[in-house]
Amino acid sequence: MTAPSGRVRIQHEDFDLGVEVAQLRAGDGGVGAVAAFVGTVRDRSDGRAVASMELEHYPGMTEAAIEAMIDQAAARFDIRAVRVIHRIGELAAREQIVLVAVTSAHRGDAFQACEFLMDYLKTNAPFWKKEATDAGARWVDARVADDAALARWGIQSGNAAAAPPAPPRRPGR
Amino acid sequence: MKVEVRYFASLREALGGAEAVEVDAGADVGALRDALVARGGRHAEALGRHRAVRSALNRVLCAESATLHEGDEIGFFPPVTGG
């Protein structure tokens, strides 16, 4: 397994946006822009009140998948540093879920890289959410809108797409 | 040859966390899924072609055309919902 780069953290604990941004741009006088996104747990979802959610992930795959997304962002945009933190475990309504923070010299690349990373993470990072609602627990469904968002960057995802009819299978396999 | 299959989220609730499976040499991920579905019961319901199931080979997202080798780890899971 490759050594962690410090760019990705998967953790149960909450994070402090100010602390993370300060660390991200520490010692780098070339930073002119910081763009950060924080995702949080809403207290309503698809018509139901949500008390909490359980975040499951694929240990070993999650970190590597997000690292690869960051590598792609760095290839597409002129950015200096990136930090992604994604929480796992049980999160109550209103708690923070995810942080994506990017530094660059200028705001265009920072904004775009931040949005690119969120669109990519939403469709390809191996997490699954189970909501505790007032009508019982249910797994959250993936949204085709997220695939559409990723497609704007020229990447086909097919995450939420309905399962296609089975193609004919060659005999003997 | 023997491979390790891991399930996540609703698939894990239906089928358990992991199982060792025997597959033919040269099989791909699709053939593995078909073999699991052929067991019928919970496996057919959870992994059947009416379900959107994504796969990873050795912890990297893969197509069902990905070829399997001895000792590989295959993950099967529903469409992801992180972020």
Side-chain angles (χ1 to χ4, degrees), chain A residues 56-61 86 98 121-130 139-142 157 159 163-164 166 169 173, chain B residues 6 8-10 12-13 26 28 30-31 34 49-52 54 56 59-61 73 75 77-83:
Chain A
E56 179 174 344
H57 80 121
Y58 190 159
M61 179 179 173
H86 200 299
V98 61
L121 188 153
K122 293 290 285 185
T123 51
N124 287 283
F127 296 98
W128 301 274
K129 293 172 176 169
K130 191 172 191 181
W139 291 99
V140 171
D141 283 328
S157 171
N159 182 51
R169 308 250 347 131
R173 297 198 68 162
Chain B
R6 297 184 64 180
F8 296 89
S10 55
R12 175 185 52 73
E13 290 182 336
D28 61 15
D34 289 342
R49 293 288 163 188
H50 61 298
R51 296 280 188 210
R54 298 190 79 186
R59 304 183 180 180
V60 177
L61 280 171
E73 176 177 301
F77 38 86
V80 303
T81 57

Side-chain angles (χ1 to χ4, degrees), chain A residues 9-23:
Chain A
R9 297 203 323 253
I10 310 301
Q11 62 188 44
H12 287 87
E13 301 80 6
D14 199 2
F15 53 83
D16 182 314
L17 175 61
V19 167
E20 298 299 333
V21 166
Q23 288 180 358

Side-chain angles (χ1 to χ4, degrees), chain A:
Chain A
M1 184 153 72
T2 41
S5 67
R7 302 183 306 180
V8 182
R9 297 203 323 253
I10 310 301
Q11 62 188 44
H12 287 87
E13 301 80 6
D14 199 2
F15 53 83
D16 182 314
L17 175 61
V19 167
E20 298 299 333
V21 166
Q23 288 180 358
L24 194 64
R25 67 188 199 90
D28 188 353
V31 172
V34 183
F37 172 86
V38 173
T40 57
V41 181
R42 286 177 293 115
D43 64 7
R44 288 203 72 81
S45 173
D46 287 327
R48 292 293 179 189
V50 174
S52 65
M53 66 167 52
E54 186 74 25
L55 251 297
E56 179 174 344
H57 80 121
Y58 190 159
M61 179 179 173
T62 321
E63 302 86 337
I66 299 174
E67 291 274 7
M69 294 174 194
I70 293 173
D71 288 342
Q72 285 205 41
R76 284 177 179 245
F77 308 107
D78 187 12
I79 55 181
R80 302 179 74 82
V82 179
R83 180 166 298 194
V84 175
I85 300 172
H86 200 299
R87 296 178 67 196
I88 53 173
E90 185 173 326
L91 304 182
R94 305 188 184 199
E95 287 204 63
Q96 302 185 124
I97 304 170
V98 61
L99 166 71
V100 173
V102 180
T103 63
S104 68
H106 302 288
R107 70 188 185 284
D109 290 286
F111 275 131
Q112 286 203 78
C114 190
E115 187 167 19
F116 171 83
L117 282 168
M118 270 311 301
D119 290 340
Y120 213 163
L121 188 153
K122 293 290 285 185
T123 51
N124 287 283
F127 296 98
W128 301 274
K129 293 172 176 169
K130 191 172 191 181
E131 293 172 329
T133 78
D134 52 4
R138 66 179 180 197
W139 291 99
V140 171
D141 283 328
R143 296 173 185 266
V144 291
D146 288 325
D147 288 312
L150 188 65
R152 292 178 304 148
W153 303 104
I155 300 175
Q156 294 306 310
S157 171
N159 182 51
R169 308 250 347 131
R170 294 215 317 259
R173 297 198 68 162

Side-chain angles (χ1 to χ4, degrees), chain A residues 58 61, chain B residues 3-4 27-29 32 54-63 65-69 71-77:
Chain A
Y58 190 159
M61 179 179 173
Chain B
V3 297
E4 179 79 1
D28 61 15
V29 170
L32 169 61
R54 298 190 79 186
S55 52
L57 176 58
N58 296 324
R59 304 183 180 180
V60 177
L61 280 171
C62 70
S65 56
T67 304
L68 301 178
H69 299 90
D72 276 347
E73 176 177 301
I74 298 91
F76 285 120
F77 38 86

